[in-house]
Amino acid sequence: MYNTRINREFHAASWHEPVIFDLSSPGERGILIPRTEEKVAQAVGDVLASLPENVVRKEAPRLPEMSQPQVIRHYMRLSQMCLGNDLNIDLGQGTCTMKYNPKIDEELAKSPKVTELHPAQDESTVQGMLEIVHRSEELFHAISGMDAFSFHPSGGTAGIFTNACIIRAYHESRGEGEQRDEIITTIFSHPADAATPNVAGFKVITLYPDENGYPSVEALKAVLSERTAGLMMTNPEDTGIYNPHMKEFTDLVHSVGGLCAYDQANTNGILGIARAREAGFDLCHFNLHKTFAAPHGGSGPACGVVGVKKELEKFLPAPVVTFDGEKYGLDYDRPDSIGKIKGFMGNVNIVLKSYAWIMNLGAEGIKKVGETATLNNNYLMTLISKIDGVTIPYSEGHHRVEQVRYSMQKLFEETGITSDDLSRRIVDYGVTDFYTSHHPWLVPQPFTLEPSETYSKHDLDEYATIFETLFHEARTNPDIIRTAPHNSTIAQGDDSGMKDESKWAFTWKMYQKKVAKTR
């Protein structure tokens, strides 16, 4: 169909690799730790003596004890069993903006000048890193139009929660904290735009789309009142559809005294083209670990940048970076601050990676990112839409921005194969399983694809060919899909325990108590 073959035979390496605690051999060492200097030991002792007794360890942590070769082998084997965007066409993770992360940025971040910094150092000794953070604020001022920033949040959801807390603090400072207790969002915004204001104490009102794929102006008007604290939403939403009435939305919210927070996790397709300020927003957030080419967080190091207009600056998490024209500093004396969101200055190594990426591209390059991501998405949409069994709900015949939420309901009705079934089978072709949708599934049997600017035409052709093959298999050999994956590290897992808290094990100790002892 696309004159492109699936030209890679794939089978994941499979190691029956124990967890690292099981590999531990008491007494083995990979490095020799130098003896602590007497002054340092005394200082540590003084700190420990000042702490409450119940927070000081009585014994050393039981860490694995292994030689260097054992550690290297262990993690190399684990890496061989993983798929990531350095190994495959990772465009199936819709809303996650998976893209290539330049290795020069990784080299900068692992320099001893970064890795050997300690967050408790005197600010006079970390002028370089403070300068990077300060310069990054200037870059995000140009990108978003916001006036002040915080890099404290450790991810997108933390950034959205920060904005919810700033909205709450703003209204409390005006004596309207109890009155303004409602946040408005939309069903195709990220769920964090509903979840985090709820955690912050707000009642959440969710708007649903009309036939265009986004809520109407009339729907917004119907829920506005003197109780409105703000609007928190994504645009373009997770359907890839951009709401063209955004400025009218923000004007209406402002007319009743509310604030507007822009979730810009889907901003990859509008970089250098549209800004939060001109759309009327008072706050926004970006994900450095997605849009700005730092590795995707995945519960690990990430960074959600929060930007606000000048009148909201005083509410930002403390400390903030200052510059008096000669030296950089940290300002902790902020009585109106919402408080701490993350320890110290957050994940500043992620800030450095994204700073390097932005500086390397420049203004024109940033705009080219948005243009190329949108072009790639609409090209892929043309290919995928030709596959029998695929539909694209809402705003029929229109382009999308950086992603599309497709439906395979037609194929499901014909074959009984679900989008979850296909997401497991696609792994057998050497690409990561694709993202379906947040719940509830307004789009039936959904799958959400988001090609960023990273991927070539050949990549997109190959990915579409894989999808065409999956749909053909669903009609001709459905059992191979139902029993997939076959070429992956593990076979189809049993997810029956996902809702059974008694089977959850998030730590090694918990695993030993709940799982290992029952074997």
Side-chain angles (χ1 to χ4, degrees):
M1 179 176 178
Y2 311 118
N3 196 28
T4 299
R5 296 185 300 109
I6 304 172
N7 56 13
R8 295 177 180 87
E9 288 287 336
F10 170 76
H11 198 295
S14 182
W15 297 89
H16 294 292
E17 187 69 7
V19 295
I20 196 167
F21 288 91
D22 277 351
L23 296 173
S24 178
S25 178
E28 288 197 12
R29 293 289 184 271
I31 58 173
L32 295 177
I33 306 297
R35 184 179 296 276
T36 306
E37 295 177 22
E38 186 175 338
K39 288 184 178 180
V40 174
Q42 181 62 47
V44 171
D46 292 342
V47 171
L48 291 176
S50 68
L51 295 175
E53 185 178 350
N54 64 327
V55 302
V56 179
R57 283 184 178 274
K58 302 298 187 294
E59 58 184 35
R62 298 191 189 109
L63 300 177
E65 299 177 63
M66 300 170 64
S67 68
Q68 282 192 31
Q70 287 176 309
V71 173
I72 294 296
R73 289 187 204 117
H74 175 70
Y75 286 107
M76 285 298 294
R77 288 166 181 166
L78 293 181
S79 71
Q80 291 169 1
M81 295 194 290
C82 294
L83 282 173
N85 65 13
D86 282 351
L87 288 174
N88 77 102
I89 307 169
D90 207 8
L91 60 84
Q93 302 301 302
T95 84
C96 290
T97 319
M98 307 296 282
K99 62 172 70 178
Y100 177 73
N101 308 134
K103 296 302 172 274
I104 183 62
D105 303 346
E106 299 297 316
E107 289 295 319
L108 291 171
K110 71 181 185 182
S111 163
K113 296 179 180 179
V114 179
T115 60
E116 296 303 312
L117 292 180
H118 191 284
Q121 283 182 227
D122 186 272
E123 61 192 45
S124 65
T125 68
V126 289
Q127 288 293 295
M129 184 54 76
L130 294 179
E131 181 179 358
I132 290 294
V133 174
H134 188 265
R135 288 192 175 192
S136 296
E137 292 183 9
E138 295 174 339
L139 294 176
F140 278 94
H141 169 71
I143 290 169
S144 69
M146 295 292 111
D147 298 312
F149 299 86
S150 173
F151 295 92
H152 287 219
S154 57
T157 298
I160 300 170
F161 178 67
T162 300
N163 281 340
C165 292
I166 291 174
I167 292 173
R168 183 183 63 193
Y170 168 78
H171 291 303
E172 287 175 347
S173 73
R174 296 163 57 88
E176 297 182 344
E178 292 188 14
Q179 171 194 330
R180 296 194 177 273
D181 61 355
E182 295 179 351
I183 289 288
I184 301 166
T185 189
T186 68
I187 193 64
F188 281 132
S189 291
H190 292 138
D193 291 299
T196 62
N198 181 262
V199 171
F202 291 105
K203 173 186 175 182
V204 178
I205 299 172
T206 303
L207 302 180
Y208 283 72
D210 59 17
E211 66 278 3
N212 294 310
Y214 46 80
S216 66
V217 172
E218 288 68 30
L220 175 64
K221 288 179 179 178
V223 297
L224 291 173
S225 73
E226 69 281 353
R227 305 194 73 86
T228 299
L231 171 72
M232 301 184 70
M233 65 175 290
T234 314
N235 192 35
E237 295 184 304
D238 282 356
T239 54
I241 299 173
Y242 190 89
N243 185 338
H245 304 298
M246 204 65 264
K247 186 61 166 64
E248 191 171 356
F249 269 44
T250 55
D251 285 345
L252 284 168
V253 173
H254 289 152
S255 72
V256 299
L259 295 177
C260 299
Y262 197 169
D263 173 353
Q264 297 202 258
N266 289 349
T267 198
N268 202 62
I270 59 173
L271 280 177
I273 298 166
R275 301 199 313 171
R277 191 177 196 92
E278 283 71 33
F281 285 93
D282 308 289
L283 316 86
C284 74
H285 101 275
F286 298 93
N287 292 345
L288 292 191
H289 54 285
K290 292 167 57 172
T291 311
F292 294 93
H296 196 279
S299 300
C303 183
V305 184
V306 165
V308 299
K309 288 184 176 178
K310 187 68 178 177
E311 55 269 29
L312 299 176
E313 181 179 6
K314 63 183 180 179
F315 301 115
L316 285 173
V320 299
V321 177
T322 61
F323 183 54
D324 62 8
E326 294 183 2
K327 63 180 180 178
Y328 298 90
L330 292 171
D331 181 10
Y332 287 88
D333 185 17
R334 303 182 63 80
D336 296 307
S337 169
I338 62 170
K340 298 292 289 184
I341 294 295
K342 176 77 172 176
F344 301 102
M345 287 294 295
N347 295 322
V348 291
N349 62 324
I350 304 298
V351 179
L352 173 60
K353 294 177 186 180
S354 294
Y355 173 79
W357 186 76
I358 295 169
M359 292 297 290
N360 185 51
L361 286 168
E364 285 303 312
I366 288 290
K367 183 178 181 182
K368 185 64 69 174
V369 165
E371 293 172 340
T372 305
T374 300
L375 176 64
N376 278 356
N377 183 53
N378 285 279
Y379 175 71
L380 181 66
M381 181 175 70
T382 301
L383 301 182
I384 297 294
S385 65
K386 292 177 181 178
I387 299 174
D388 183 19
V390 174
T391 58
I392 305 175
Y394 302 112
S395 200
E396 185 176 352
H398 286 75
H399 291 150
R400 300 295 194 268
V401 185
E402 86 306 346
Q403 64 185 299
V404 180
R405 181 151 294 164
Y406 302 90
S407 173
M408 51 165 281
Q409 177 69 12
K410 181 180 175 183
L411 183 75
F412 169 68
E413 293 171 355
E414 180 184 339
T415 66
I417 295 296
T418 68
S419 56
D420 284 335
D421 292 332
L422 287 192
S423 74
R424 289 186 287 268
R425 174 58 175 160
I426 200 172
V427 176
D428 288 330
Y429 290 95
V431 296
T432 314
D433 64 317
F434 59 78
Y435 177 67
T436 52
S437 169
H438 301 298
H439 287 280
W441 279 10
L442 266 67
V443 172
Q445 294 301 322
F447 59 101
T448 310
L449 310 181
E450 182 188 9
S452 67
E453 75 284 356
T454 295
Y455 300 104
S456 68
K457 178 179 179 299
H458 183 275
D459 290 335
L460 303 180
D461 288 341
E462 182 175 346
Y463 198 85
T465 301
I466 293 172
F467 253 91
E468 184 187 30
T469 303
L470 294 177
F471 275 61
H472 176 72
E473 287 180 340
R475 294 185 172 96
T476 61
N477 190 9
D479 284 343
I480 200 172
I481 293 181
R482 292 192 180 98
T483 55
H486 306 282
N487 300 333
S488 183
T489 308
I490 59 173
Q492 191 171 131
D494 177 11
D495 60 2
S496 60
M498 292 294 288
K499 296 181 180 180
D500 184 354
E501 186 178 344
S502 67
K503 297 180 179 179
W504 296 353
F506 297 114
T507 66
W508 172 243
K509 280 187 176 181
M510 192 183 298
Y511 172 79
Q512 287 184 309
K513 288 179 180 178
K514 290 187 174 183
V515 181
K517 290 184 179 180
T518 64
R519 288 183 172 177

